[in-house]
PDB file of all heavy atoms in Angstrom:
ATOM      1  N   ILE A  46       3.923  -9.650  -4.259  1.00 87.00           N
ATOM      2  CA  ILE A  46       3.474  -8.948  -3.126  1.00 87.00           C
ATOM      3  C   ILE A  46       2.007  -9.417  -2.744  1.00 87.00           C
ATOM      4  O   ILE A  46       1.271  -9.742  -3.655  1.00 87.00           O
ATOM      5  CB  ILE A  46       3.528  -7.375  -3.348  1.00 87.00           C
ATOM      6  CG1 ILE A  46       3.224  -6.667  -2.058  1.00 87.00           C
ATOM      7  CG2 ILE A  46       2.563  -6.984  -4.471  1.00 87.00           C
ATOM      8  CD1 ILE A  46       3.435  -5.168  -2.264  1.00 87.00           C
ATOM      9  N   VAL A  47       1.764  -9.464  -1.456  1.00 88.00           N
ATOM     10  CA  VAL A  47       0.452  -9.835  -1.017  1.00 88.00           C
ATOM     11  C   VAL A  47      -0.172  -8.612  -0.381  1.00 88.00           C
ATOM     12  O   VAL A  47       0.495  -7.946   0.434  1.00 88.00           O
ATOM     13  CB  VAL A  47       0.474 -11.072  -0.054  1.00 88.00           C
ATOM     14  CG1 VAL A  47       1.388 -10.795   1.185  1.00 88.00           C
ATOM     15  CG2 VAL A  47      -0.890 -11.371   0.501  1.00 88.00           C
ATOM     16  N   VAL A  48      -1.388  -8.328  -0.687  1.00 91.00           N
ATOM     17  CA  VAL A  48      -2.136  -7.181  -0.093  1.00 91.00           C
ATOM     18  C   VAL A  48      -3.475  -7.584   0.315  1.00 91.00           C
ATOM     19  O   VAL A  48      -4.070  -8.552  -0.162  1.00 91.00           O
ATOM     20  CB  VAL A  48      -2.228  -6.053  -1.154  1.00 91.00           C
ATOM     21  CG1 VAL A  48      -0.850  -5.497  -1.507  1.00 91.00           C
ATOM     22  CG2 VAL A  48      -2.936  -6.402  -2.379  1.00 91.00           C
ATOM     23  N   GLN A  49      -3.987  -6.862   1.286  1.00 93.00           N
ATOM     24  CA  GLN A  49      -5.221  -7.225   1.934  1.00 93.00           C
ATOM     25  C   GLN A  49      -6.320  -6.100   1.586  1.00 93.00           C
ATOM     26  O   GLN A  49      -6.050  -5.222   0.823  1.00 93.00           O
ATOM     27  CB  GLN A  49      -5.069  -7.362   3.435  1.00 93.00           C
ATOM     28  CG  GLN A  49      -4.141  -8.500   3.779  1.00 93.00           C
ATOM     29  CD  GLN A  49      -3.527  -8.447   5.220  1.00 93.00           C
ATOM     30  OE1 GLN A  49      -4.092  -7.739   6.015  1.00 93.00           O
ATOM     31  NE2 GLN A  49      -2.567  -9.251   5.445  1.00 93.00           N
ATOM     32  N   GLY A  50      -7.483  -6.270   2.189  1.00 94.00           N
ATOM     33  CA  GLY A  50      -8.615  -5.492   1.813  1.00 94.00           C
ATOM     34  C   GLY A  50      -8.403  -3.938   1.978  1.00 94.00           C
ATOM     35  O   GLY A  50      -8.921  -3.179   1.225  1.00 94.00           O
ATOM     36  N   ASN A  51      -7.543  -3.524   2.988  1.00 96.00           N
ATOM     37  CA  ASN A  51      -7.325  -2.139   3.155  1.00 96.00           C
ATOM     38  C   ASN A  51      -6.491  -1.532   2.072  1.00 96.00           C
ATOM     39  O   ASN A  51      -6.721  -0.394   1.668  1.00 96.00           O
ATOM     40  CB  ASN A  51      -6.761  -1.849   4.553  1.00 96.00           C
ATOM     41  CG  ASN A  51      -5.347  -2.487   4.707  1.00 96.00           C
ATOM     42  OD1 ASN A  51      -5.135  -3.684   4.317  1.00 96.00           O
ATOM     43  ND2 ASN A  51      -4.473  -1.714   5.268  1.00 96.00           N
ATOM     44  N   PHE A  52      -5.652  -2.311   1.431  1.00 96.00           N
ATOM     45  CA  PHE A  52      -4.913  -1.823   0.303  1.00 96.00           C
ATOM     46  C   PHE A  52      -5.784  -1.667  -0.891  1.00 96.00           C
ATOM     47  O   PHE A  52      -5.792  -0.667  -1.612  1.00 96.00           O
ATOM     48  CB  PHE A  52      -3.763  -2.856  -0.045  1.00 96.00           C
ATOM     49  CG  PHE A  52      -2.985  -2.493  -1.283  1.00 96.00           C
ATOM     50  CD1 PHE A  52      -1.877  -1.655  -1.190  1.00 96.00           C
ATOM     51  CD2 PHE A  52      -3.391  -2.935  -2.552  1.00 96.00           C
ATOM     52  CE1 PHE A  52      -1.146  -1.393  -2.299  1.00 96.00           C
ATOM     53  CE2 PHE A  52      -2.713  -2.588  -3.681  1.00 96.00           C
ATOM     54  CZ  PHE A  52      -1.565  -1.819  -3.581  1.00 96.00           C
ATOM     55  N   ILE A  53      -6.710  -2.706  -1.135  1.00 97.00           N
ATOM     56  CA  ILE A  53      -7.604  -2.596  -2.268  1.00 97.00           C
ATOM     57  C   ILE A  53      -8.553  -1.389  -2.005  1.00 97.00           C
ATOM     58  O   ILE A  53      -8.881  -0.651  -2.980  1.00 97.00           O
ATOM     59  CB  ILE A  53      -8.413  -3.876  -2.405  1.00 97.00           C
ATOM     60  CG1 ILE A  53      -7.400  -5.081  -2.559  1.00 97.00           C
ATOM     61  CG2 ILE A  53      -9.354  -3.874  -3.583  1.00 97.00           C
ATOM     62  CD1 ILE A  53      -7.967  -6.463  -2.431  1.00 97.00           C
ATOM     63  N   ARG A  54      -8.975  -1.144  -0.850  1.00 97.00           N
ATOM     64  CA  ARG A  54      -9.830   0.065  -0.512  1.00 97.00           C
ATOM     65  C   ARG A  54      -9.097   1.289  -0.894  1.00 97.00           C
ATOM     66  O   ARG A  54      -9.657   2.267  -1.476  1.00 97.00           O
ATOM     67  CB  ARG A  54     -10.217   0.028   0.940  1.00 97.00           C
ATOM     68  CG  ARG A  54     -11.058   1.192   1.341  1.00 97.00           C
ATOM     69  CD  ARG A  54     -11.511   1.065   2.808  1.00 97.00           C
ATOM     70  NE  ARG A  54     -10.387   0.983   3.715  1.00 97.00           N
ATOM     71  CZ  ARG A  54     -10.534   0.687   5.044  1.00 97.00           C
ATOM     72  NH1 ARG A  54     -11.703   0.431   5.563  1.00 97.00           N
ATOM     73  NH2 ARG A  54      -9.469   0.658   5.835  1.00 97.00           N
TER      74      ARG A  54
END
Side-chain angles (χ1 to χ4, degrees):
I46 186 171
V47 54
V48 295
Q49 298 164 13
N51 61 316
F52 177 92
I53 302 168
R54 179 175 60 187

